[in-house]
Amino acid sequence: MSGQLMPCSPKEIGSLFLFEKLTPEQLGRLCSEGRVELFQPGPVYAEGDQATCFFVMIEGTVVLSRQVGGTDVEVTRSSQRGAYAGAMQAYLGDRVRQVYNNSMRVTEPTRFFVLPADTFAAVISEWFPMAVHLLEGLFFGSKNTQAMIGQRERLLALGSLSAGLTHELNNPAAAAVRATSTLRERVAKMRHKLAVIAEGPFSRDALAGLIEIQERTAERVAKAPALSPLEASDREDMLTEWLEDHGLDYGWQLAPTFVQAGLDIDWLEQVAAAVDEEILPGAIGWLNYTIETELLMNEIEDSTTRISHLVDAAKQYSQLDRAPYRVVDVHELLDSTLLMLSGKIGPHIQVVKDYDRTLPQVPGYPAELNQVWTNLIDNAVCAINSAGGDGTLTVRTALDHERMLVEFRDTGPGVPPEIRSRIFDPFFTTKPVGQGTGLGLDISWRIVVNKHHGTLQVESVPGDTRFQVLLPLTAETPDDEVSALTTPEEAA
């Protein structure tokens, strides 16, 4: 927005504290290369626009605001003569993106001394070379520190994920080892039992019938129904009684295995009818080993499948062998992140997935989106734990005005209103010393806003805090020049 041009007086410019030490020649140069403009109430420039001018207020009232989570938050209001804003980093040149890092508006007719960014950079470098070197060191030193601490934040998250993944892998791996050891014993006993049966006075037809029953029993195990504890107990009692009635005094040991395999009295009656009475106990014992081996192989399959799923989730989370920018299924990313963090979430926090599976895939950087989910879930878990450790984490997806909404809702104590506008600032944290760097939400903001052209916002009351990520559904050309580590001040 342009204002009304007005005469520039070196004397008036020199009365501003920013220029009070300049020589008459320097003030004359400022007036000749700059200008005075009168702005009516309204916007002067917008956050993210190309930073073309440096503004110094002569008289009036100025308001500076920032976009935080999709909301315009006022950060400064001043009527002090000499208040300045605009292209304050012009002296850094092309080493940073020259955009306005806030929005400025005036609430009454306001006069500014306006200096083009190129001129501002030239006079600063020419008149204050030592100050420029100091400012450059401060700016880039702070940026490097932020990048290093950001790397530390990611390493801490990786350590937590590795510990959780190791714990999750240990359980099914141990179960598979135990089942394999037991299976070896059962197979050895089955071979022994088969040798005893083969040495007995049994006909070939009887043995063939027994093997056929074995095959049908194995098929039955695969289709075993799920029973309630009460149903299972009642069926065990009935099977124990049947087995004891047919000469198997150890029937109470076999009944639980038979019930787990889905066998009932009708099935045992079919077995009794198919073999001679004298070989029934041996046949039942042999079938018991068959059932146990099938159940153990099922347990091994379940355990190794669980391990495979965990490995797939780890690959999905880390996006190994995947293109850095592609169309992704957000629900797959969310599931892999929740699985990777399951150890940290713990059993006391209920996780509710409220997904809209009809939503299309979205273009993005999946590994970095997983980092956003990690940071937001970690914050939610910490909030719930601070309120006693019991609560609910709800992850919801929905369509929101041609954008995908990914919402993380927790039942923690909430974000106090007085700090809500600061939670996305670098290094701001409410966690105890040593437990947070204050960069989790800052990194998330930059990934969502800068790299995905989306929005990250928060709504919070005690017991209901919602961090909402809004991602565009349509692809934009990847902005490779905008790093995920670009600060909000540098973001377009």
Side-chain angles (χ1 to χ4, degrees), residues 105 111 121 148 164 203 213 255 300 329-330 340 344-345 454:
R105 61 185 175 89
R111 281 194 306 138
M148 291 173 63
S203 66
I213 291 174
I300 294 171
D329 184 340
V330 167
M340 294 291 291
K344 184 166 190 176
I345 294 173

Side-chain angles (χ1 to χ4, degrees), residues 1-4 37-44 105-110:
M1 177 178 178
S2 298
Q4 177 186 351
E37 292 188 45
L38 174 64
F39 288 84
Q40 298 302 319
V44 178
R105 61 185 175 89
V106 296
T107 59
E108 61 178 318
T110 301

Side-chain angles (χ1 to χ4, degrees), residues 229-242:
L230 182 59
E231 291 172 332
S233 178
D234 290 343
R235 184 171 291 187
E236 286 177 16
D237 291 340
M238 290 188 291
L239 290 183
T240 299
E241 184 177 348
W242 188 96

Side-chain angles (χ1 to χ4, degrees), residues 354-365:
D354 183 10
Y355 294 167
D356 181 357
R357 295 285 187 177
T358 65
L359 293 173
Q361 296 184 339
V362 298
Y365 298 84

